[in-house]
Amino acid sequence: AQRVTQPEKLLSVFKGAPVELKCNYSYSGSPELFWYVQYSRQRLQLLLRHISRESIKGFTADLNKGETSFHLKKPFAQEEDSAMYYCALPRNTGANSKLTFGKGITLSVRP
Amino acid sequence: DAGITQSPRHKVTETGTPVTLRCHQTENHRYMYWYRQDPGHGLRLIHYSYGVKDTDKGEVSDGYSVSRSKTEDFLLTLESATSSQTSVYFCAISGGTGQGYTFGSGTRLTVV
């Protein structure tokens, strides 16, 4: 079964420090992976997806098929990056793209 | 505007009462989903729909039912609310594989 693992629940860093939020997956085939962000008491928002290879708000994520990872990175954290982050991938390869989410990680950026 | 709204935003209800949450979209997307968000569990899929009157169960569907009589509306009903259903409920819409989801603002439900 397709599975997403976010091994850490909390990451606390100082402003300006590098950030890496880990995501590992199990998937048969070529996965489509997403990162979502949820700021305090707000709706989840799509941060980025690997197929578009975008960089949003300074975040990037590279798919590593050898390590089955899709870690989210930012070289210099900002206080406004403090939020909950979820990694997600489709449950199957069909048109109905039900996403399965990791348990999420809270990023806290201290001044 | 994200094109998706949920109502109510907050609700407190008593154990044993039925509760219906509404999700409304203006994007004409085919796929709609209901998730619950709980600390330590992340987001778990309750039910989903891939068209009018086409729905199916997710991983935590016990105690919940859904209906979709129109493309724009997806209703989630708790048949007889229990304290374990206290949660934040999110609706999401999607145009298909690869497009990701757009989420609603969530409904915070407390069952006392």
Side-chain angles (χ1 to χ4, degrees):
Chain A
Q2 327 300 13
R3 191 165 60 246
V4 176
T5 302
Q6 294 182 253
E8 300 159 330
K9 292 184 179 180
L10 171 67
L11 179 64
S12 183
V13 301
F14 285 107
K15 177 182 174 181
V19 169
E20 182 179 73
L21 306 181
K22 293 182 168 55
C23 173
N24 292 93
Y25 66 90
S26 62
Y27 190 86
S28 55
S30 297
E32 298 173 44
L33 285 143
F34 303 86
W35 276 99
Y36 285 83
V37 60
Q38 185 182 28
Y39 301 102
S40 180
R41 292 184 173 266
Q42 294 186 24
R43 72 179 71 203
L44 283 88
Q45 305 169 40
L46 179 63
L47 182 59
L48 56 81
R49 47 190 166 183
H50 96 274
I51 57 173
S52 60
R53 302 186 67 81
E54 298 167 298
S55 174
I56 304 294
K57 299 184 178 182
F59 285 97
T60 59
D62 290 319
L63 180 63
N64 185 323
K65 291 186 178 180
E67 296 183 357
T68 59
S69 68
F70 188 57
H71 301 332
L72 185 67
K73 300 178 182 180
K74 186 170 183 177
F76 307 104
Q78 302 300 314
E79 291 181 66
E80 55 265 30
D81 296 328
S82 295
M84 176 79 85
Y85 292 81
Y86 291 95
C87 184
L89 86 165
R91 288 170 175 254
N92 53 50
T93 56
N96 183 3
S97 56
K98 300 187 297 293
L99 292 178
T100 187
F101 288 81
K103 294 186 177 181
I105 179 170
T106 299
L107 173 64
S108 174
V109 182
R110 293 169 287 172
Chain B
D1 188 353
I4 175 173
T5 55
Q6 290 184 235
S7 59
R9 291 295 308 274
H10 302 272
K11 186 170 181 66
V12 179
T13 192
E14 293 186 348
T15 299
T17 60
V19 176
T20 295
L21 310 182
R22 181 177 184 243
C23 178
H24 178 78
Q25 62 146 329
T26 57
E27 303 295 320
N28 200 36
H29 281 332
R30 178 179 177 185
Y31 303 106
M32 299 185 76
Y33 310 85
W34 277 107
Y35 284 82
R36 59 179 290 175
Q37 183 184 41
D38 303 288
H41 292 278
L43 286 135
R44 292 179 292 174
L45 182 64
I46 305 172
H47 281 280
Y48 61 97
S49 169
Y50 35 93
V52 173
K53 297 186 180 179
D54 279 330
T55 65
D56 209 344
K57 296 179 180 180
E59 59 184 306
V60 289
S61 59
D62 288 347
Y64 302 95
S65 62
V66 290
S67 66
R68 192 168 177 200
S69 59
K70 298 184 291 185
T71 298
E72 56 266 34
D73 290 324
F74 192 32
L75 304 180
L76 176 71
T77 297
L78 287 66
E79 307 288 348
S80 176
T82 67
S83 58
S84 64
Q85 294 176 311
T86 292
S87 185
V88 180
Y89 291 86
F90 284 99
C91 177
I93 60 175
S94 173
T97 300
Q99 297 186 27
Y101 288 178
T102 299
F103 281 88
S105 297
T107 295
R108 186 173 295 274
L109 176 69
T110 302
V111 183
V112 298

